[in-house]
Amino acid sequence: VLRVYRGRPIAEQLVSGLLFGGICVLGMWSPIELVPGALIDARTVVLSMAALVCGPWAALLATALAISVRWELGGAGMANGMLVILASSGLGLLYRVLHQCRRVPVTPLAMLVFGVFLHGGLLGLLFLIDHAFTLRFQQQWFMAYLLVFPVATPLLGWLLQDLRQRRTIEDALAEHVAKLQDSEHRLHLLLNDLPAISVQGYRPDGTTVYWNKASELLYGYSKQEAIGKSLLELIIPSPMHDGVRQAMANMFATGQPIPAGELRLQRKDGSL
């Protein structure tokens, strides 16, 4: 989703909301059910982190899907379950707003604290379902709930945050490369139209990669003839091949340009 909807934040959030909402729906269709109608699943982890990392539209859509299915399932814990859904999304959005205001960080430790706070508070809503549920929950799932869900929250949040940061870095790198390519293109256009200055470009092995109009006029080779050919074949007289080859090798190895000087080179017709 991050890659396909790059540059379209609303579409990215809506598709993310459908995905996270779908995960919640699957969880509610196969939950831990301690008493009829009282469900335990991972929607608290999913909804809170979707709201924190993906944004309000993703949270709204995922919450709407989760609430509609929880309403359809009904049962003794329906009202409490819907409050759990709203609280998970709402607290995730609150965390997002506080982070955007630079009040709290989004680090694994901070998200762990958030997960403990969230699931500790939601225990109160679960215990309001009925006495039978509370008793069975305390006997079978209390420690597992406190150990697994608060830890799962920062793990999911860290994964989503890491993917988003990687996408941000990729976007910044792509923008930087595009600017470099644009600058290189403008430089090529500028150099190509200089009538009095012959400019060529070569790879370390001497292969020609750039040949401007002034080079065409000076040496007699067209751009199409020159590019891909070796510098030595084009304009360097045979007795100078070894010296020029060594000078170019030193230049590419050290990054230091060949010192300025005058050379007697040859044209396409063999004249010097």
mmCIF file of all heavy atoms in Angstrom, residues 57-91:
data_model
loop_
_atom_site.group_PDB
_atom_site.id
_atom_site.type_symbol
_atom_site.label_atom_id
_atom_site.label_comp_id
_atom_site.label_asym_id
_atom_site.label_seq_id
_atom_site.Cartn_x
_atom_site.Cartn_y
_atom_site.Cartn_z
ATOM 1 N N TRP A 57 -8.049 8.888 8.667
ATOM 2 C CA TRP A 57 -8.965 8.222 7.734
ATOM 3 C C TRP A 57 -8.848 6.709 7.830
ATOM 4 O O TRP A 57 -9.861 5.994 7.766
ATOM 5 C CB TRP A 57 -8.687 8.685 6.304
ATOM 6 C CG TRP A 57 -9.090 10.097 6.047
ATOM 7 C CD1 TRP A 57 -8.292 11.187 5.895
ATOM 8 C CD2 TRP A 57 -10.436 10.592 5.950
ATOM 9 N NE1 TRP A 57 -9.021 12.327 5.699
ATOM 10 C CE2 TRP A 57 -10.347 11.994 5.719
ATOM 11 C CE3 TRP A 57 -11.688 9.995 6.017
ATOM 12 C CZ2 TRP A 57 -11.472 12.798 5.577
ATOM 13 C CZ3 TRP A 57 -12.822 10.792 5.866
ATOM 14 C CH2 TRP A 57 -12.706 12.162 5.649
ATOM 15 N N ALA A 58 -7.634 6.217 7.985
ATOM 16 C CA ALA A 58 -7.439 4.776 8.175
ATOM 17 C C ALA A 58 -8.109 4.320 9.463
ATOM 18 O O ALA A 58 -8.787 3.283 9.493
ATOM 19 C CB ALA A 58 -5.944 4.452 8.204
ATOM 20 N N ALA A 59 -7.945 5.105 10.528
ATOM 21 C CA ALA A 59 -8.558 4.752 11.810
ATOM 22 C C ALA A 59 -10.078 4.766 11.707
ATOM 23 O O ALA A 59 -10.763 3.870 12.228
ATOM 24 C CB ALA A 59 -8.096 5.729 12.886
ATOM 25 N N LEU A 60 -10.632 5.779 11.038
ATOM 26 C CA LEU A 60 -12.086 5.895 10.919
ATOM 27 C C LEU A 60 -12.670 4.713 10.165
ATOM 28 O O LEU A 60 -13.670 4.109 10.594
ATOM 29 C CB LEU A 60 -12.436 7.202 10.211
ATOM 30 C CG LEU A 60 -13.929 7.494 10.012
ATOM 31 C CD1 LEU A 60 -14.620 7.638 11.352
ATOM 32 C CD2 LEU A 60 -14.116 8.746 9.162
ATOM 33 N N LEU A 61 -12.065 4.345 9.042
ATOM 34 C CA LEU A 61 -12.595 3.241 8.237
ATOM 35 C C LEU A 61 -12.441 1.910 8.960
ATOM 36 O O LEU A 61 -13.375 1.093 8.985
ATOM 37 C CB LEU A 61 -11.868 3.204 6.895
ATOM 38 C CG LEU A 61 -12.428 2.255 5.837
ATOM 39 C CD1 LEU A 61 -13.918 2.473 5.619
ATOM 40 C CD2 LEU A 61 -11.674 2.434 4.527
ATOM 41 N N ALA A 62 -11.269 1.671 9.559
ATOM 42 C CA ALA A 62 -11.060 0.420 10.289
ATOM 43 C C ALA A 62 -12.018 0.322 11.478
ATOM 44 O O ALA A 62 -12.584 -0.751 11.758
ATOM 45 C CB ALA A 62 -9.610 0.337 10.772
ATOM 46 N N THR A 63 -12.225 1.436 12.173
ATOM 47 C CA THR A 63 -13.149 1.452 13.316
ATOM 48 C C THR A 63 -14.572 1.176 12.871
ATOM 49 O O THR A 63 -15.316 0.414 13.526
ATOM 50 C CB THR A 63 -13.079 2.816 14.026
ATOM 51 O OG1 THR A 63 -11.737 3.036 14.474
ATOM 52 C CG2 THR A 63 -14.009 2.858 15.226
ATOM 53 N N ALA A 64 -14.988 1.782 11.763
ATOM 54 C CA ALA A 64 -16.355 1.560 11.258
ATOM 55 C C ALA A 64 -16.571 0.100 10.898
ATOM 56 O O ALA A 64 -17.630 -0.481 11.223
ATOM 57 C CB ALA A 64 -16.598 2.452 10.041
ATOM 58 N N LEU A 65 -15.606 -0.509 10.243
ATOM 59 C CA LEU A 65 -15.736 -1.929 9.899
ATOM 60 C C LEU A 65 -15.818 -2.795 11.162
ATOM 61 O O LEU A 65 -16.659 -3.700 11.257
ATOM 62 C CB LEU A 65 -14.534 -2.364 9.055
ATOM 63 C CG LEU A 65 -14.544 -1.965 7.582
ATOM 64 C CD1 LEU A 65 -13.197 -2.268 6.948
ATOM 65 C CD2 LEU A 65 -15.646 -2.698 6.840
ATOM 66 N N ALA A 66 -14.929 -2.514 12.121
ATOM 67 C CA ALA A 66 -14.907 -3.313 13.350
ATOM 68 C C ALA A 66 -16.212 -3.166 14.130
ATOM 69 O O ALA A 66 -16.780 -4.151 14.635
ATOM 70 C CB ALA A 66 -13.715 -2.902 14.209
ATOM 71 N N ILE A 67 -16.737 -1.942 14.228
ATOM 72 C CA ILE A 67 -17.975 -1.707 14.975
ATOM 73 C C ILE A 67 -19.160 -2.395 14.298
ATOM 74 O O ILE A 67 -20.018 -3.006 14.967
ATOM 75 C CB ILE A 67 -18.228 -0.195 15.131
ATOM 76 C CG1 ILE A 67 -17.297 0.369 16.207
ATOM 77 C CG2 ILE A 67 -19.677 0.096 15.488
ATOM 78 C CD1 ILE A 67 -17.474 1.842 16.454
ATOM 79 N N SER A 68 -19.221 -2.311 12.967
ATOM 80 C CA SER A 68 -20.355 -2.917 12.266
ATOM 81 C C SER A 68 -20.381 -4.425 12.461
ATOM 82 O O SER A 68 -21.450 -5.018 12.679
ATOM 83 C CB SER A 68 -20.298 -2.568 10.777
ATOM 84 O OG SER A 68 -19.122 -3.095 10.183
ATOM 85 N N VAL A 69 -19.198 -5.058 12.416
ATOM 86 C CA VAL A 69 -19.159 -6.511 12.600
ATOM 87 C C VAL A 69 -19.436 -6.871 14.054
ATOM 88 O O VAL A 69 -20.139 -7.859 14.341
ATOM 89 C CB VAL A 69 -17.796 -7.061 12.135
ATOM 90 C CG1 VAL A 69 -17.646 -8.537 12.500
ATOM 91 C CG2 VAL A 69 -17.656 -6.887 10.627
ATOM 92 N N ARG A 70 -18.915 -6.065 14.990
ATOM 93 C CA ARG A 70 -19.187 -6.362 16.410
ATOM 94 C C ARG A 70 -20.669 -6.219 16.715
ATOM 95 O O ARG A 70 -21.230 -6.995 17.497
ATOM 96 C CB ARG A 70 -18.363 -5.407 17.303
ATOM 97 C CG ARG A 70 -18.420 -5.793 18.793
ATOM 98 C CD ARG A 70 -17.783 -7.130 19.006
ATOM 99 N NE ARG A 70 -18.003 -7.670 20.351
ATOM 100 C CZ ARG A 70 -19.036 -8.407 20.710
ATOM 101 N NH1 ARG A 70 -19.983 -8.712 19.822
ATOM 102 N NH2 ARG A 70 -19.131 -8.889 21.931
ATOM 103 N N TRP A 71 -21.317 -5.256 16.091
ATOM 104 C CA TRP A 71 -22.761 -5.095 16.245
ATOM 105 C C TRP A 71 -23.498 -6.319 15.695
ATOM 106 O O TRP A 71 -24.453 -6.812 16.292
ATOM 107 C CB TRP A 71 -23.207 -3.830 15.514
ATOM 108 C CG TRP A 71 -24.692 -3.605 15.522
ATOM 109 C CD1 TRP A 71 -25.606 -4.138 14.675
ATOM 110 C CD2 TRP A 71 -25.428 -2.790 16.434
ATOM 111 N NE1 TRP A 71 -26.862 -3.706 14.976
ATOM 112 C CE2 TRP A 71 -26.789 -2.873 16.052
ATOM 113 C CE3 TRP A 71 -25.056 -1.988 17.508
ATOM 114 C CZ2 TRP A 71 -27.787 -2.185 16.738
ATOM 115 C CZ3 TRP A 71 -26.052 -1.316 18.186
ATOM 116 C CH2 TRP A 71 -27.399 -1.413 17.811
ATOM 117 N N GLU A 72 -23.030 -6.797 14.556
ATOM 118 C CA GLU A 72 -23.666 -7.955 13.930
ATOM 119 C C GLU A 72 -23.504 -9.213 14.786
ATOM 120 O O GLU A 72 -24.433 -10.026 14.888
ATOM 121 C CB GLU A 72 -23.025 -8.185 12.549
ATOM 122 C CG GLU A 72 -23.625 -9.313 11.743
ATOM 123 C CD GLU A 72 -25.012 -9.006 11.224
ATOM 124 O OE1 GLU A 72 -25.359 -7.811 11.125
ATOM 125 O OE2 GLU A 72 -25.752 -9.962 10.908
ATOM 126 N N LEU A 73 -22.344 -9.355 15.420
ATOM 127 C CA LEU A 73 -22.104 -10.540 16.245
ATOM 128 C C LEU A 73 -22.935 -10.527 17.520
ATOM 129 O O LEU A 73 -23.311 -11.582 18.046
ATOM 130 C CB LEU A 73 -20.613 -10.633 16.595
ATOM 131 C CG LEU A 73 -19.669 -10.936 15.425
ATOM 132 C CD1 LEU A 73 -18.224 -10.868 15.883
ATOM 133 C CD2 LEU A 73 -19.959 -12.308 14.827
ATOM 134 N N GLY A 74 -23.205 -9.334 18.067
ATOM 135 C CA GLY A 74 -24.050 -9.199 19.256
ATOM 136 C C GLY A 74 -23.473 -9.882 20.479
ATOM 137 O O GLY A 74 -22.257 -10.015 20.645
ATOM 138 N N GLY A 75 -24.339 -10.317 21.373
ATOM 139 C CA GLY A 75 -23.904 -11.019 22.568
ATOM 140 C C GLY A 75 -23.778 -10.125 23.780
ATOM 141 O O GLY A 75 -23.958 -8.902 23.715
ATOM 142 N N ALA A 76 -23.430 -10.752 24.896
ATOM 143 C CA ALA A 76 -23.398 -10.045 26.173
ATOM 144 C C ALA A 76 -22.377 -8.921 26.201
ATOM 145 O O ALA A 76 -22.583 -7.891 26.852
ATOM 146 C CB ALA A 76 -23.102 -11.046 27.296
ATOM 147 N N GLY A 77 -21.269 -9.099 25.507
ATOM 148 C CA GLY A 77 -20.210 -8.100 25.578
ATOM 149 C C GLY A 77 -20.207 -7.121 24.429
ATOM 150 O O GLY A 77 -19.194 -6.436 24.206
ATOM 151 N N MET A 78 -21.327 -7.015 23.686
ATOM 152 C CA MET A 78 -21.332 -6.176 22.493
ATOM 153 C C MET A 78 -21.041 -4.704 22.820
ATOM 154 O O MET A 78 -20.187 -4.073 22.206
ATOM 155 C CB MET A 78 -22.678 -6.268 21.766
ATOM 156 C CG MET A 78 -22.737 -5.437 20.492
ATOM 157 S SD MET A 78 -24.375 -5.411 19.759
ATOM 158 C CE MET A 78 -25.269 -4.424 20.974
ATOM 159 N N ALA A 79 -21.764 -4.153 23.795
ATOM 160 C CA ALA A 79 -21.574 -2.730 24.122
ATOM 161 C C ALA A 79 -20.158 -2.467 24.602
ATOM 162 O O ALA A 79 -19.513 -1.493 24.188
ATOM 163 C CB ALA A 79 -22.588 -2.312 25.185
ATOM 164 N N ASN A 80 -19.662 -3.339 25.463
ATOM 165 C CA ASN A 80 -18.300 -3.174 25.960
ATOM 166 C C ASN A 80 -17.286 -3.324 24.828
ATOM 167 O O ASN A 80 -16.288 -2.591 24.756
ATOM 168 C CB ASN A 80 -18.007 -4.204 27.047
ATOM 169 C CG ASN A 80 -18.962 -4.097 28.211
ATOM 170 O OD1 ASN A 80 -20.134 -4.455 28.084
ATOM 171 N ND2 ASN A 80 -18.485 -3.625 29.349
ATOM 172 N N GLY A 81 -17.550 -4.272 23.926
ATOM 173 C CA GLY A 81 -16.645 -4.480 22.803
ATOM 174 C C GLY A 81 -16.581 -3.268 21.887
ATOM 175 O O GLY A 81 -15.512 -2.916 21.382
ATOM 176 N N MET A 82 -17.731 -2.624 21.680
ATOM 177 C CA MET A 82 -17.741 -1.426 20.838
ATOM 178 C C MET A 82 -16.998 -0.278 21.517
ATOM 179 O O MET A 82 -16.314 0.513 20.863
ATOM 180 C CB MET A 82 -19.179 -1.048 20.498
ATOM 181 C CG MET A 82 -19.860 -2.093 19.615
ATOM 182 S SD MET A 82 -21.600 -1.780 19.314
ATOM 183 C CE MET A 82 -21.504 -0.405 18.185
ATOM 184 N N LEU A 83 -17.136 -0.185 22.837
ATOM 185 C CA LEU A 83 -16.374 0.831 23.572
ATOM 186 C C LEU A 83 -14.874 0.560 23.495
ATOM 187 O O LEU A 83 -14.067 1.492 23.392
ATOM 188 C CB LEU A 83 -16.830 0.861 25.039
ATOM 189 C CG LEU A 83 -18.197 1.478 25.318
ATOM 190 C CD1 LEU A 83 -18.565 1.318 26.787
ATOM 191 C CD2 LEU A 83 -18.190 2.964 24.935
ATOM 192 N N VAL A 84 -14.495 -0.713 23.536
ATOM 193 C CA VAL A 84 -13.082 -1.087 23.398
ATOM 194 C C VAL A 84 -12.561 -0.644 22.035
ATOM 195 O O VAL A 84 -11.448 -0.096 21.916
ATOM 196 C CB VAL A 84 -12.906 -2.608 23.589
ATOM 197 C CG1 VAL A 84 -11.530 -3.059 23.085
ATOM 198 C CG2 VAL A 84 -13.075 -2.993 25.054
ATOM 199 N N ILE A 85 -13.355 -0.854 20.988
ATOM 200 C CA ILE A 85 -12.956 -0.447 19.631
ATOM 201 C C ILE A 85 -12.756 1.062 19.568
ATOM 202 O O ILE A 85 -11.731 1.562 19.074
ATOM 203 C CB ILE A 85 -14.013 -0.905 18.610
ATOM 204 C CG1 ILE A 85 -14.007 -2.430 18.494
ATOM 205 C CG2 ILE A 85 -13.773 -0.255 17.241
ATOM 206 C CD1 ILE A 85 -15.152 -2.993 17.685
ATOM 207 N N LEU A 86 -13.731 1.819 20.063
ATOM 208 C CA LEU A 86 -13.649 3.280 20.022
ATOM 209 C C LEU A 86 -12.475 3.798 20.856
ATOM 210 O O LEU A 86 -11.768 4.730 20.451
ATOM 211 C CB LEU A 86 -14.960 3.881 20.517
ATOM 212 C CG LEU A 86 -16.172 3.697 19.596
ATOM 213 C CD1 LEU A 86 -17.447 4.149 20.294
ATOM 214 C CD2 LEU A 86 -15.972 4.470 18.300
ATOM 215 N N ALA A 87 -12.272 3.198 22.023
ATOM 216 C CA ALA A 87 -11.182 3.636 22.895
ATOM 217 C C ALA A 87 -9.827 3.354 22.266
ATOM 218 O O ALA A 87 -8.910 4.189 22.328
ATOM 219 C CB ALA A 87 -11.290 2.940 24.253
ATOM 220 N N SER A 88 -9.678 2.199 21.611
ATOM 221 C CA SER A 88 -8.399 1.847 20.984
ATOM 222 C C SER A 88 -8.054 2.841 19.877
ATOM 223 O O SER A 88 -6.938 3.370 19.819
ATOM 224 C CB SER A 88 -8.466 0.425 20.421
ATOM 225 O OG SER A 88 -8.727 -0.510 21.450
ATOM 226 N N SER A 89 -9.030 3.094 18.996
ATOM 227 C CA SER A 89 -8.781 4.041 17.907
ATOM 228 C C SER A 89 -8.575 5.454 18.436
ATOM 229 O O SER A 89 -7.681 6.185 17.988
ATOM 230 C CB SER A 89 -9.941 4.024 16.918
ATOM 231 O OG SER A 89 -10.036 2.783 16.281
ATOM 232 N N GLY A 90 -9.430 5.846 19.391
ATOM 233 C CA GLY A 90 -9.345 7.206 19.915
ATOM 234 C C GLY A 90 -8.028 7.491 20.603
ATOM 235 O O GLY A 90 -7.420 8.551 20.391
ATOM 236 N N LEU A 91 -7.556 6.544 21.411
ATOM 237 C CA LEU A 91 -6.283 6.752 22.104
ATOM 238 C C LEU A 91 -5.109 6.717 21.117
ATOM 239 O O LEU A 91 -4.122 7.440 21.289
ATOM 240 C CB LEU A 91 -6.103 5.703 23.189
ATOM 241 C CG LEU A 91 -7.022 5.869 24.415
ATOM 242 C CD1 LEU A 91 -6.882 4.693 25.367
ATOM 243 C CD2 LEU A 91 -6.715 7.180 25.142
#
